């Protein structure tokens, strides 16, 4: 059972790495920001499986923290460096 | 009983891994930002959900199980929000070009 | 070689690859994104090393406050297009690379030559756990056995906050450290900022509470609570408190102050250890949260 | 204990990588990031030593763990302060480079004002 799970972790980690390569290469920063979201799904799945394999039950709490904060990097990207941008009249979509 | 549980785990985690594969293939193959965003936030969230379902039979207690489920719900919320936010920004920067 | 070892090598390779990319990529904003992701992946290594307390700290800080801080700074610095900084010459690069490789090689050798019976204080920590009644050894060390470090850490946080405040423009001194954020009241961001903080508060307090017996604790919980506050600020639902408000200042000083009072009390009553007080959560939250916010001024 | 060796090499290389970036990258923000990478490598080395010396049924020595937690929080505080300084430099000098001390265009605030 453990061997199967750790093989699954390895597989998902490989998918995560491939996804990262694809995203970080991406033409502009909009693509790169997806990397944080990739951690929010594949990273959390890796963490959950890892916790089960290594018998580290508290890994679930780490995953909970990551899931809770998964949106933050993207929000920071969307809001950008508010002050300077707003002054230039180049606020982002969410800014009025 | 333990065998049945392990079977559920193996099947669900394998299915989850498949959806992660699908999401990554989408990231690698899709041409533009919006379609890649779609692959990332939909397929990968389904993969996460299936992994959670697979780990539920292995959870030590009810509390652990509830935590797992809430992680998935938070992941869904994050996926939905992030795709909205990034897609809007992507469309805006496309218009600006 | 077992399956687990292969997985560990893969994880290390992914983290290192991300680190190399972060160091090598030309665009500063990309490097910042790379570093945030790097920080989150390092949390996976900490879990694998069975140090979940550290993993929680790493995840809570680099996922929330730290990430927002770095990304905000990167966006502001980049947009002005100042990227004409000249790189050092080839000779300097080569010697820097040689120095770095030498350092890495020396550290690798040190890791491989670790003595088999390492000196450790772990048995002592476990043996004295009765003194606090808590079963998480890390919390015991932080709050009781090495409480001095934790107190000074709070002082460092306070000093950093004072430093950030002092850097504010003269006209802004005494006022709010940053501009008020605004967002579409019907937008996704505001929706999230209304939905997530209640959940986040429960999780933050849970992480703080469970820190007594399981991995978790005041810093991790405090960082999560502060992130939730930051989310509400970013969505324009609430505002940063003005710097000159007396209550805020008192609250900030209360963190180290409480430690001092408890420490002196322990000395007075002849008890050997500082007691662990749940009242630390709020100061920890503020101390962790406010420097970040005001840094975005 | 292969994990100790694998992640030990990883941590050592992260230290080297951070050091290299710190020296060669001319932009202050990149220097801050490189310094954080260096720091994460050092923290990981603490974790490696703690894992290696694990005893008494604890997976990782709690004393280095507590030190690292303190270290992570202090590093965060230092990063926040460094970024505040950087943004000030940027605002006043109109550029965020450390070279050629002379600012390109003085901002509305005179330096040191």
């Amino acid at each position: 059972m453990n061997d199967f799970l750790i093989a699954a972790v390895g597989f998902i980690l490989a998918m995560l790495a491939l996804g990262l390569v694809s995203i970080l290469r991406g033409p502009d920063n909009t693509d790169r920001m997806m990397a944080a979201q990739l951690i929010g799904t594949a990273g959390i799945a890796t963490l959950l499986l890892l916790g089960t394999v290594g018998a580290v039950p508290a890994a679930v709490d780490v995953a909970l923290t990551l899931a809770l904060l998964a949106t933050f990097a993207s929000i920071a990207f969307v809001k950008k460096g508010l002050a300077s941008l707003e002054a230039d009249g180049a606020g982002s979509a969410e800014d009025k | 009983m333990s065998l049945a549980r392990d079977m559920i785990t193996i099947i669900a985690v394998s299915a989850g891994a498949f959806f992660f594969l699908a999401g990554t293939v989408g990231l690698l193959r899709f041409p533009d930002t919006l379609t890649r965003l779609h692959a990332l936030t939909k397929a990968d969230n389904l993969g996460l959900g299936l992994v959670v379902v697979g780990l539920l039979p292995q959870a030590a207690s009810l509390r652990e199980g509830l935590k797992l489920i809430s992680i998935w719900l938070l992941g869904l919320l994050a996926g939905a929000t992030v795709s909205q936010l990034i897609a809007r920004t992507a469309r805006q920067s496309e218009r600006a070009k | 070689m077992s399956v687990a070892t292969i997985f560990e090598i893969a994880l290390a390779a992914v983290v290192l690859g991300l680190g190399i990319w972060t160091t090598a990529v030309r665009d500063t904003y990309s490097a910042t994104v790379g570093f945030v992701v790097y920080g989150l992946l390092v949390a996976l290594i900490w879990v694998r090393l069975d140090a979940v307390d550290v993993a929680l700290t790493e995840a809570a800080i680099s996922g929330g406050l730290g990430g927002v801080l770095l990304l905000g700074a990167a966006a502001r610095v980049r947009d002005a297009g100042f990227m004409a900084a000249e790189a050092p010459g080839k000779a300097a690069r080569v010697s820097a690379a040689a120095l770095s490789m030498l350092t890495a090689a020396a550290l690798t050798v040190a890791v491989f030559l670790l003595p088999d019976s390492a000196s450790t204080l772990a048995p002592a920590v476990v043996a004295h756990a009765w003194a606090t009644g808590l079963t998480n050894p890390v919390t015991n060390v932080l709050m009781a056995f090495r409480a001095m470090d934790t107190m000074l850490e709070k002082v460092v946080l306070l000093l950093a906050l004072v430093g950030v405040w002092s850097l504010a423009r003269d006209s802004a001194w005494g006022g709010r450290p940053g501009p008020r954020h605004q967002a579409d009241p019907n937008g996704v961001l505001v929706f999230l900022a209304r939905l997530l903080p209640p959940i986040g508060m429960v999780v933050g307090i849970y992480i703080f509470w469970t820190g007594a017996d399981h991995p978790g604790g005041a810093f991790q919980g405090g960082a999560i609570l502060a992130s939730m506050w930051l989310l509400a600020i970013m969505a324009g639902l609430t505002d940063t408190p003005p710097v000159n408000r007396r209550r805020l200042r008192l609250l900030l000083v209360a963190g180290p102050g409480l430690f001092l009072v408890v420490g002196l009390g322990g000395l007075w009553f002849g008890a050997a250890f500082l007691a662990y007080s749940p009242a630390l959560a709020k100061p920890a939250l503020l101390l962790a949260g406010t420097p970040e916010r005001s840094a975005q001024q | 204990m292969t994990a100790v060796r694998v992640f030990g090499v990883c941590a050592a290389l992260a230290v080297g990588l951070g050091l290299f970036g710190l020296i060669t990258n001319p932009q202050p923000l990149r220097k801050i990031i490189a310094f954080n990478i260096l720091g994460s490598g050092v923290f990981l080395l603490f974790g490696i030593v703690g894992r290696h010396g694990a005893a008494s049924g604890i997976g990782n020595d709690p004393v280095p763990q507590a030190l690292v937690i303190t270290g992570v929080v202090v590093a965060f505080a230092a990063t926040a302060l460094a970024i505040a300084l950087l943004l000030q430099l940027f605002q006043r000098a109109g550029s965020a480079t450390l070279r050629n001390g002379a600012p390109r265009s003085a901002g509305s605030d005179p330096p040191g004002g």
Side-chain angles (χ1 to χ4, degrees), chain B:
Chain B
M1 199 51 208
S2 154
L3 184 71
R5 281 193 202 168
D6 284 3
M7 283 305 288
I8 294 175
T9 302
I10 288 175
I11 291 170
V13 171
S14 306
F18 171 75
F19 277 101
F20 278 112
L21 173 69
T24 301
V25 168
L27 278 181
L28 289 169
R29 300 287 303 163
F30 282 161
D32 63 1
T33 307
L34 291 181
T35 45
R36 293 167 94 192
L37 192 61
H38 172 79
L40 178 64
T41 51
K42 307 302 178 296
D44 276 17
N45 253 326
L46 191 54
L48 177 61
L50 283 167
V51 168
V52 164
V53 168
L55 288 181
L56 278 181
Q58 311 285 331
S61 63
L62 183 65
R63 201 177 72 162
E64 292 293 311
L66 286 176
K67 264 198 256 178
L68 284 171
I69 292 173
S70 54
I71 286 171
W72 183 46
L73 291 178
L74 280 173
L76 283 180
L77 180 64
T81 321
V82 166
S83 57
Q84 280 267 342
L85 288 173
I86 292 186
R88 213 178 282 195
T89 314
R91 204 176 58 179
Q92 212 185 31
S93 65
E94 229 158 70
R95 266 195 210 146
K97 268 174 200 166

Side-chain angles (χ1 to χ4, degrees), chain A residues 88, chain C residues 74-85, chain D residues 90 94-97 104:
Chain A
D88 302 343
Chain C
R76 285 175 71 172
V77 170
R78 178 195 54 169
D79 283 337
F82 69 94
M83 287 304 165
Chain D
F90 176 58
S95 86
T97 58
R104 268 205 319 240

Side-chain angles (χ1 to χ4, degrees), chain A residues 23-24 28-39 70-78 80, chain B residues 33 37 40 82 86 89, chain C residues 29-30 32-34 36-37 67 71:
Chain A
I23 285 174
L24 290 176
D28 57 12
N29 286 324
T30 322
D31 295 81
R32 298 207 178 93
M33 278 324 296
M34 289 187 222
Q37 175 60 26
L38 187 64
I39 299 288
T71 44
F72 271 68
S74 304
I75 293 174
F77 168 69
V78 171
K80 287 196 187 154
Chain B
T33 307
L37 192 61
L40 178 64
V82 166
I86 292 186
T89 314
Chain C
Y29 196 82
S30 310
T32 316
V33 176
V36 172
V37 177
L71 288 170

Side-chain angles (χ1 to χ4, degrees), chain B residues 63-64 67 74 77-78 80-82 84-85 88, chain C residues 184 187-189 191-192 195-196 199 206 210 214:
Chain B
R63 201 177 72 162
E64 292 293 311
K67 264 198 256 178
L74 280 173
L77 180 64
T81 321
V82 166
Q84 280 267 342
L85 288 173
R88 213 178 282 195
Chain C
D184 178 7
V188 190
L189 184 55
F191 171 71
L192 185 75
L195 193 60
L196 204 57
I199 306 170
Y206 161 73
T210 194
H214 304 285

Side-chain angles (χ1 to χ4, degrees), chain C residues 16-79:
Chain C
L16 270 181
L18 208 53
I20 292 170
W21 188 80
T22 303
T23 313
V25 72
R26 290 188 65 83
D27 181 33
T28 300
Y29 196 82
S30 310
T32 316
V33 176
F35 178 70
V36 172
V37 177
Y38 170 89
L40 294 174
L41 281 177
V42 166
L44 289 185
I45 295 189
W46 282 112
V47 169
R48 191 67 196 157
L49 286 176
D50 229 335
V52 185
D53 287 276
V54 185
L56 267 174
T57 317
E58 193 74 54
I61 285 186
S62 62
L65 299 173
V68 173
L69 176 69
L70 280 169
L71 288 170
R76 285 175 71 172
V77 170
R78 178 195 54 169
D79 283 337

Side-chain angles (χ1 to χ4, degrees), chain A residues 29 32 47 79 82 94-95, chain C residues 30 78 181-182 184 234:
Chain A
N29 286 324
R32 298 207 178 93
L47 200 53
K79 300 288 287 184
L82 277 171
E94 282 290 310
D95 295 324
Chain C
S30 310
R78 178 195 54 169
H181 290 237
Q182 293 195 324
D184 178 7
M234 284 198 297

Side-chain angles (χ1 to χ4, degrees), chain C residues 101-196:
Chain C
M101 277 194 255
L102 209 65
T103 313
L107 287 173
T108 309
V109 171
V111 166
F112 275 80
L113 292 183
L114 278 178
D116 275 338
S117 59
S119 60
T120 170
L121 289 170
V125 170
V126 174
H128 290 89
W130 55 266
T132 58
L134 309 178
T135 52
N136 179 2
V138 180
T139 304
N140 271 339
V141 172
L142 273 174
M143 289 298 164
F145 306 145
R146 294 297 302 170
M148 184 66 123
D149 295 352
T150 311
M151 187 186 87
L152 291 177
E153 171 193 1
K154 288 193 183 301
V155 174
V156 166
L157 278 176
L158 198 60
L159 284 178
L161 177 63
V162 169
V164 170
W165 275 353
S166 312
L167 287 168
R169 281 190 308 276
D170 284 355
S171 58
W173 173 247
R176 297 173 195 278
R180 192 185 161 89
H181 290 237
Q182 293 195 324
D184 178 7
N186 296 319
V188 190
L189 184 55
V190 171
F191 171 71
L192 185 75
R194 289 185 199 281
L195 193 60
L196 204 57

